[in-house]
Amino acid sequence: MSTTRATTKDRSAATTLLRLWPYVRPARARLVTAALVAILASCTGLVIPLVLKWMVDGPVADGDTAGVWLGALYLLLLGFAEALLFGLRRWLVARPLSHVEAEMRAGLYRHLQRLPVAFHDRWASGQLLSRATTDLMLLRMFLAFPLTFLLVNAVTIIVGVIIMLLQDWTLGLVILGPAIPVMITCMVFEKRYHSVARLAQDQVGDLTTVVEESVLGIRIIKGFGRHRSQARAFRELSGKLRGTELRKAGLLATIWGVITTLPEVAIGAALVLGCVQVADGDLSAGTLVAFLSTALALRWPVESIGFLLAMTQEAATATERYFEVMNESPEQEDAPLSPHKSAPDDEGLRFHQVRFRYPDAPEDSPPILDLIDLHIRPGESMALVGTTGSGKTTLTALVPRLHEVTSGHITLDGEDITAMPREELRSMVAVAFEEPTLFSASVKDNVLLGMDEGELDRALSVAQADFVHALPHGTDTQVGEQGLSLSGGQRQRLALARAVVGRPRFLVLDDPLSALDVHTEAAVEAALRDVLADTTALIVAHRPSTVLLADRVALLSDGRITAVGTHHELLRTNAEYAHLMSGTGEAEDDDR
Ligand SMILES: Nc1ncnc2c1ncn2[C@@H]1O[C@H](COP(=O)(O)OP(=O)(O)OP(=O)(O)O)[C@@H](O)[C@H]1O
Ligand SMILES: [Mg+2]
């Protein structure tokens, strides 16, 4: 999806990775210690060639068997020490780094909860999911491995080269020959790898979205026999990802080839040159052995640079992707620029000249809602009627501030909703949405959503949701994706119970009875009538029976409230309303 694609400036990997510092900070002592231990381990390895030199020039040349055994013992001890130190490093970093990963993941989740609905409208969930999983795993691997080893290897290479130059500087220079071409290759590689890595990670996000949607929509896919086309879409995307991964592998293979071949050629040249020098008596055999084994000991640090750089690039990309989400601003608690001044007749829920356009809509498109003026008096219930797509759901979403009005004000008992803390606003207003969502939790937890248990039974009976008592474990029965599946009408009744459980002062119901049979609907209406008696309510309705629940009706048409009155008044005086309610709605235009 286009908005989530790389919009990044061309930052170097290092600058990008520096942004991780706040998260890494708590683990810094251990990370530094681990790096020092690794450097020590690596340098221990470099002592081995020096012992070899001593053995070749001393005991071996003199035929001293005991001396050879002693040398072998030293070598064994050095090997042990190296292994132990590397083990210690691992132990030092493992725990704090999984902690860093967990903290970053928790931070991402917390942030996602606080981001406005408009953000979630824009972002595909798979992109968010892949950031929370794959990208964070890449980051942990980076912190555990390349971060330390790029440093350790650099130190090892420098120390090794100094040792070699000290042994014999002409041979040392031969070995150093490939350094510059290798460095240039690394730089070119880094640049290319960066863009491919970003592409691959975005494609993983797209793939995750497809998988997620086909799991959620499995009934539709099966019902319409679309599993083949769905599988094809998946295959296409995974084919693309495979192509990108192959390009990554190709780049890695190239750098690996250069990084291995050039030093090996240099070692070969040094070997020939060294042998000539030994034959001429200019160099001791022990020095040549030490020199070559140092060069061989440096092979791994040099060769590993390729994939360490690759992992670093991937981590930089992951960091970019992580911060793309973290940098989105959460819902602000800012005071409105010009809070609405309350007037004496401002009690109840009131819309003042409200205009709304979705943030992602083109600038010149007509607003979905245009200059809405609507007053629902305290204790009154108002039905909202309009053709499908006229903006009813949009209008209800403005009250709990799921979307922000483009201009105008909404007031609750005279107080501008932008002037009160969101938490307070949302505790005053309860909503039931068109599509009732259940979480994977018990019926009880789904209805209460963290509220007091006292009102549970009343709420369930208002919503005529007594069927829950007949479930295997009553209100403790698990529902939602991981539990029992409920019918559409059952879910709708639970959503209604959720809305009324806290005895909210303001109730916003978006077509709450659409999935119920006539008898259940009548029963819910009878019970709702009591609740509505002392609540200020806005109820989106399509059917006359639901409309009759309300004291008055407002007709939404072409983004405006075109009529307000009682059901019977409007039936008599408004042709559009009469048409909508008459049930001969075939002529309705779906696209306003
Ligand atoms: N998140 C969104 N981003 C952009 N446009 C949207 C968004 N949600 C809805 N719309 C558009 O806003 C218009 C009004 O949609 P809305 O859901 O408010 O209609 P509605 O009156 O509730 O319809 P229905 O009776 O079918 O529920 C539609 O044209 C829709 O395409
Ligand atoms: Mg709607």
Side-chain angles (χ1 to χ4, degrees):
M1 149 171 194
S2 60
T3 45
T4 61
R5 286 276 181 251
T7 47
T8 45
K9 301 116 237 140
D10 227 359
R11 282 212 191 87
S12 78
T15 337
T16 310
L17 288 168
L18 264 184
R19 305 172 76 185
L20 294 176
W21 178 240
Y23 295 96
V24 177
R25 237 180 108 86
R28 64 186 186 281
R30 284 227 176 180
L31 274 179
V32 171
T33 318
L36 292 178
V37 168
I39 290 177
L40 192 64
S42 226
C43 293
T44 311
L46 287 180
V47 177
I48 293 178
L50 299 180
V51 176
L52 279 176
K53 173 182 173 163
W54 169 79
M55 280 171 71
V56 172
D57 284 349
V60 173
D62 305 344
D64 168 12
T65 324
V68 172
W69 279 111
L70 185 65
L73 183 66
Y74 285 151
L75 289 180
L76 192 67
L77 287 178
L78 282 171
F80 256 132
E82 192 183 349
L84 267 180
L85 286 171
F86 273 125
L88 176 64
R89 182 204 80 89
R90 243 223 161 156
W91 176 81
L92 276 170
V93 294
R95 265 171 70 110
L97 287 184
S98 46
H99 185 70
V100 169
E101 187 190 7
E103 277 298 306
M104 288 185 77
R105 188 168 286 135
L108 184 67
Y109 184 77
R110 218 168 24 239
H111 194 65
L112 283 178
Q113 303 282 310
R114 292 170 58 217
L115 281 169
V117 174
F119 168 87
H120 291 281
D121 280 353
R122 222 161 10 96
W123 280 67
S125 48
Q127 287 291 355
L128 300 176
L129 214 60
S130 65
R131 278 164 172 77
T133 50
T134 325
D135 286 333
L136 286 181
M137 189 194 70
L138 284 173
L139 284 181
R140 177 175 44 92
M141 276 163 47
F142 163 74
L143 294 173
F145 210 60
L147 180 65
T148 322
F149 276 92
L150 279 176
L151 175 74
V152 171
N153 289 1
V155 174
T156 313
I157 292 169
I158 291 172
V159 172
V161 166
I162 292 176
I163 291 179
M164 288 194 287
L165 284 171
L166 289 178
Q167 307 280 348
D168 184 305
W169 64 270
T170 39
L171 291 186
L173 287 182
V174 171
I175 291 278
L176 267 183
I180 289 174
V182 163
M183 275 193 233
I184 293 175
T185 315
C186 285
M187 261 145 51
V188 173
F189 166 79
E190 247 202 303
K191 240 198 169 62
R192 298 227 178 126
Y193 199 79
H194 174 82
S195 58
V196 190
R198 170 79 208 204
L199 190 63
Q201 272 147 279
D202 284 341
Q203 284 171 345
V204 170
D206 292 342
L207 205 60
T208 316
T209 307
V210 171
V211 172
E212 204 206 344
E213 280 179 356
S214 35
V215 171
L216 289 178
I218 190 71
R219 285 190 182 77
I220 299 174
I221 293 171
K222 281 191 180 297
F224 283 82
R226 286 290 183 276
H227 50 277
R228 284 223 173 73
S229 57
Q230 195 69 16
R232 205 174 318 120
F234 180 84
R235 227 186 350 260
E236 256 166 44
L237 270 181
S238 68
K240 272 195 206 155
L241 178 60
R242 176 169 169 270
T244 318
E245 289 293 343
L246 281 179
R247 267 166 67 201
K248 267 166 73 178
L251 281 171
L252 256 178
T254 314
I255 192 177
W256 192 279
V258 173
I259 270 183
T260 348
T261 314
L262 289 184
E264 301 271 306
V265 170
I267 291 178
L271 180 62
V272 173
L273 210 66
C275 285
V276 172
Q277 284 186 0
V278 172
D280 289 350
D282 296 341
L283 192 69
S284 77
T287 311
L288 182 61
V289 167
F291 184 90
L292 287 175
S293 35
T294 310
L296 291 178
L298 290 189
R299 258 169 63 178
W300 168 246
V302 171
E303 281 170 14
S304 62
I305 283 178
F307 81 83
L308 290 180
L309 283 181
M311 282 171 83
T312 308
Q313 276 307 337
E314 279 167 8
T317 314
T319 313
E320 261 170 38
R321 282 168 44 93
Y322 181 79
F323 281 103
E324 272 167 18
V325 176
M326 294 304 278
N327 286 348
E328 290 277 340
S329 29
E331 293 177 317
Q332 297 288 323
E333 287 296 0
D334 45 352
L337 295 175
S338 52
H340 183 80
K341 301 281 176 305
S342 88
D345 61 345
D346 254 2
E347 299 286 286
L349 167 59
R350 193 157 182 182
F351 290 73
H352 305 259
Q353 306 269 302
V354 169
R355 182 175 273 157
F356 179 77
R357 171 187 288 130
Y358 278 102
D360 51 353
E363 275 298 318
D364 50 350
S365 63
I368 304 257
L369 301 173
D370 204 3
L371 299 181
I372 300 284
D373 271 307
L374 191 62
H375 186 184
I376 304 159
R377 301 187 199 110
E380 185 183 37
S381 39
M382 172 88 78
L384 186 66
V385 173
T387 52
T388 128
S390 56
K392 303 181 295 297
T393 300
T394 308
L395 188 134
T396 55
L398 295 179
V399 183
R401 285 180 76 189
L402 297 183
H403 288 290
E404 302 288 345
V405 294
T406 311
S407 68
H409 302 277
I410 298 174
T411 55
L412 293 181
D413 286 343
E415 196 177 347
D416 196 322
I417 56 167
T418 52
M420 55 178 93
R422 268 200 176 69
E423 213 160 312
E424 188 192 324
L425 168 67
R426 289 173 187 172
S427 70
M428 278 164 75
V429 180
V431 279
F433 298 104
E434 247 171 329
E435 289 140 28
T437 306
L438 294 184
F439 297 98
S440 295
S442 67
V443 168
K444 186 158 76 187
D445 292 342
N446 260 297
V447 172
L448 294 172
L449 288 185
M451 234 183 281
D452 241 6
E453 201 172 320
E455 297 276 302
L456 182 65
D457 285 335
R458 187 192 65 94
L460 288 175
S461 78
V462 167
Q464 295 292 306
D466 301 299
F467 72 88
V468 297
H469 298 299
L471 295 176
H473 306 284
T475 54
D476 289 321
T477 310
Q478 292 287 316
V479 291
E481 208 176 337
Q482 286 172 16
L484 198 73
S485 291
L486 296 180
S487 79
Q490 288 172 330
R491 276 185 289 143
Q492 214 167 39
R493 279 179 279 164
L494 287 188
L496 189 61
R498 183 189 283 164
V500 298
V501 75
R503 285 185 187 273
R505 287 188 24 224
F506 298 91
L507 196 57
V508 176
L509 306 177
D510 192 354
D511 212 2
L513 312 175
S514 61
L516 306 185
D517 64 80
V518 228
H519 300 292
T520 315
E521 187 189 353
V524 176
E525 275 162 6
L528 252 187
R529 205 155 261 143
D530 288 340
V531 175
L532 292 176
D534 43 29
T535 317
T536 311
L538 179 63
I539 307 166
V540 174
H542 278 122
R543 295 192 254 178
S545 51
T546 321
V547 172
L548 281 171
L549 269 178
D551 304 309
R552 289 192 300 159
V553 196
L555 177 64
L556 183 63
S557 171
D558 283 336
R560 286 169 173 271
I561 300 289
T562 51
V564 180
T566 65
H567 175 61
H568 296 291
E569 273 168 26
L570 291 194
L571 269 186
R572 264 188 287 113
T573 57
N574 192 301
E576 188 185 352
Y577 184 75
H579 176 70
L580 268 177
M581 284 293 129
S582 64
T584 55
E586 295 89 34
E588 275 178 21
D589 54 336
D590 269 10
D591 39 7
R592 22 170 246 106

